[in-house]
């Protein structure tokens, strides 16, 4: 590669060191932006034409040349890049254009710098990817809603500190993830908005020296707005940092869910059965059925958070405007995008194929003290101050533990011994359904509220 033509060779009297090329080159990864690079250049040629910098004939020559390059890469793929080497995707395409159409090709870069070109390419690419990630997140969110709706009455233990806390419905639990994904979708859409800005026309940093119609360019390339400050435009990578954060947090949410899927599929919990098509076996232990998918979903969080922190570190302390450090943004964002897309796709299929063991969930919740809060609330509703009701119920729990019983096993007489306001109805009230029914508040776990929440969620648009 040391012998490939440099765009900047004019000022240099010596060729580049081999190691410089190897260290400096980004082609290995930014070749994935070839479609966007060609698209931007075609639009730019038209902008040069409307500013009367090039003629109609020259514009057509450039456009046709670029089209040829794109279809060559489309069909040859990796092979094309073995034949056409260079510092980065912009250099390779420009050199190829000159090679194909001759002198006219040398006019394309008029008033443009790779500094405004690269960030325009990345924005164009990232917009498309963000839209895909948004669609995949919406699909997964809809699956959560669908299953939650099916289980709006299914009782399961709710946890705090991973200790049984209070009965909830499975639908309510699943809708908690719907809410997390809703916020992820809001964040991704906001990020998309801030990505949707045309930076071309900023030149190297000071603004193009040619009267390019930037609004026309924005329209042609489908950008909503144009950037306001050329120095900011070539140095700003906030949209990538925000995107990496939104993707990392989305995966963190999925890792929380994945962790539960792993736990729930254990013999100890037994709340779910993972479909055979989405589980793996052990090479040694014949009985094993392993939850590799949720484990990998959980594990991917490491690299996604890593990509975010790497990007933030690259940006820290960078003087204005463009610095080569910024080239390091691309592998991070490519990696995060690739990984979150497959995580979203497989999570959706995995979730759709889970069988919930309702009986195990009910047995689990019935054999616990997760109805204790309900007993305390019962007294409180009869006028006993909550702190006292809490203490009384605590004593009842202690009594049960000592006598190897549960609250549901206590007789009317036993309840009365703890407080004379415990009436006949306490036995019904502390059954799992009794606990659920008293949480009819908006956002609560009563079945009717869960059904309403699922219907509200279904109607929400992003
Ligand atoms: N490959 C470079 C990047 O990804 C393109 C911009 C190079 N600009 C420059 N002045 N060397 O950032």
């Amino acid at each position: 590669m040391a012998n490939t033509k440099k765009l900047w060779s004019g000022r240099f009297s010596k060729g580049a060191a081999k190691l410089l090329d190897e260290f400096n080159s980004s082609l290995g990864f930014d070749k994935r932006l070839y479609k966007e690079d060609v698209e931007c250049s075609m639009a730019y040629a038209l902008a040069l034409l409307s500013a009367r910098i090039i003629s109609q004939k020259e514009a057509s020559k450039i456009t046709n040349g670029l089209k040829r390059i794109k279809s060559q890469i489309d069909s040859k793929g990796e092979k094309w890049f073995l034949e056409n080497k260079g510092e980065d995707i912009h250099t390779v395409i420009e050199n190829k254009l000159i090679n194909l159409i001759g002198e006219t090709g040398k006019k394309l870069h008029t008033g443009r710098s790779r500094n405004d070109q690269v960030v325009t390419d990345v924005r164009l690419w990232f917009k498309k990817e963000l839209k895909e990630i948004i669609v995949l997140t919406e699909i997964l969110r809809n699956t959560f809603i669908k299953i939650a709706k099916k289980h709006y009455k299914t009782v399961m233990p709710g946890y705090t500190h991973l200790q049984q806390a209070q009965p909830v419905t499975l639908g309510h639990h699943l809708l908690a993830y719907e809410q997390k994904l809703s916020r992820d979708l809001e964040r991704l859409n906001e990020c998309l908005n801030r990505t949707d800005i045309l930076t071309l026309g900023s030149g190297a940093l000071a603004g193009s020296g040619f009267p390019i119609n930037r609004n026309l360019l924005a329209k042609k390339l489908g950008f909503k707005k144009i950037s306001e400050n050329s120095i900011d435009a070539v140095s700003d990578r906030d949209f990538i940092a925000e995107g990496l954060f939104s993707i990392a947090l989305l995966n963190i949410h999925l890792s929380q869910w994945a962790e539960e899927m792993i736990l729930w599929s254990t013999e100890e919990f037994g709340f779910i059965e993972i479909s055979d098509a989405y589980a793996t076996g052990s090479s040694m232990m014949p009985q094993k059925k392993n939850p590799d998918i949720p484990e990998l979903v959980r594990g991917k969080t490491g690299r996604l958070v890593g990509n975010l922190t790497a990007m933030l570190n690259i940006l820290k302390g960078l003087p204005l405007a463009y610095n080569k450090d910024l080239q390091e943004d691309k592998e991070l964002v490519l990696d995060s995008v690739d990984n979150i897309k497959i995580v979203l796709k497989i999570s959706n299929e995995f979730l759709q194929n889970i069988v919930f063991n309702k009986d195990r969930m009910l047995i689990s919740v019935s054999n616990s003290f997760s109805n204790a809060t309900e007993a305390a609330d019962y007294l409180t509703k009869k006028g006993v101050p909550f702190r006292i009701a809490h203490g009384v119920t605590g004593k009842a729990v202690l009594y049960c533990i000592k006598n190897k019983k549960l609250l549901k096993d206590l007789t009317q007489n036993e309840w009365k011994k703890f407080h004379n306001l415990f009436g006949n109805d306490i036995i019904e009230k502390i059954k799992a359904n009794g606990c659920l029914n008293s949480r009819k508040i908006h956002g609560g776990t009563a079945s009717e509220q869960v059904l309403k929440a699922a219907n509200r969620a279904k109607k929400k648009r992003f």
Side-chain angles (χ1 to χ4, degrees), residues 258 260-266 271-280 289-295 350-351 353-356:
E260 291 184 341
M261 295 301 96
I262 295 162
L263 277 174
W264 291 9
S265 68
T266 57
F271 286 2
I272 59 166
E273 181 68 31
I274 299 173
S275 156
D276 279 2
Y278 295 92
T280 53
K289 184 169 166 186
N290 293 330
D292 285 26
I293 292 175
E295 285 171 351
F350 181 88
L351 179 58
N353 286 285
I354 282 173
V355 175
F356 290 94

Side-chain angles (χ1 to χ4, degrees), residues 23-37:
F23 187 56
N24 201 32
S25 173
S26 54
L27 188 62
F29 44 88
D30 66 17
K31 61 184 168 199
R32 281 184 57 184
L33 301 177
Y34 81 89
K35 282 187 190 143
E36 289 75 18
D37 197 71

Side-chain angles (χ1 to χ4, degrees), residues 64 93 112 128 156 172 213 220 296 310 388 427 459:
N64 289 334
I93 290 181
R112 187 174 75 167
K128 218 164 43 200
M156 66 166 269
H172 196 51
N213 185 335
K220 190 102 196 93
L296 268 176
I388 291 173
I427 290 167
K459 276 195 211 126

Side-chain angles (χ1 to χ4, degrees), residues 42 48 126 171 317 412:
M42 300 229 281
L48 289 174
F126 198 37
Q412 201 53 59

Side-chain angles (χ1 to χ4, degrees), residues 304-318:
L304 296 177
V305 172
N307 289 343
L308 167 65
T309 49
M311 188 68 230
L312 294 173
N313 274 298
I314 290 164
L315 294 174
K316 180 193 172 291
L318 267 195

